[in-house]
Amino acid sequence: MSNAVAAQARGARVFASAWSPPASLKIVHPERRDPLWSGRLNPEHYAAYAQYLNAYIRYAASRGVALQA
């Protein structure tokens, strides 16, 4: 977050991109037990993932970073 604050202070626009949901929100396939394996988001956790993303936006705002996208 410190890089985002510094970049914004210099006039940069800051954006965030979700690369992958937390492992606890993914479907674990029986043949792929390795937690680093990128499973897909479990549909049962769509609401929890939305809350997770919103929490990051609030965190950035609380540090003074206005995310553009």
Side-chain angles (χ1 to χ4, degrees):
M1 192 58 61
S2 61
N3 286 338
V5 170
Q8 184 176 272
R10 291 173 176 81
R13 292 184 179 188
V14 180
F15 65 94
S17 177
W19 285 61
S20 181
S24 62
L25 301 180
K26 293 179 181 181
I27 292 174
V28 177
H29 296 283
E31 69 278 4
R32 297 285 210 148
R33 297 241 183 244
D34 182 351
L36 297 178
W37 181 71
S38 181
R40 65 184 176 94
L41 178 61
N42 187 334
E44 294 175 6
H45 297 301
Y46 283 171
Y49 187 49
Q51 291 172 355
Y52 174 83
L53 295 174
N54 286 333
Y56 183 79
I57 294 167
R58 287 190 302 276
Y59 170 72
S62 75
R63 299 299 187 266
V65 175
L67 295 175
Q68 300 295 307

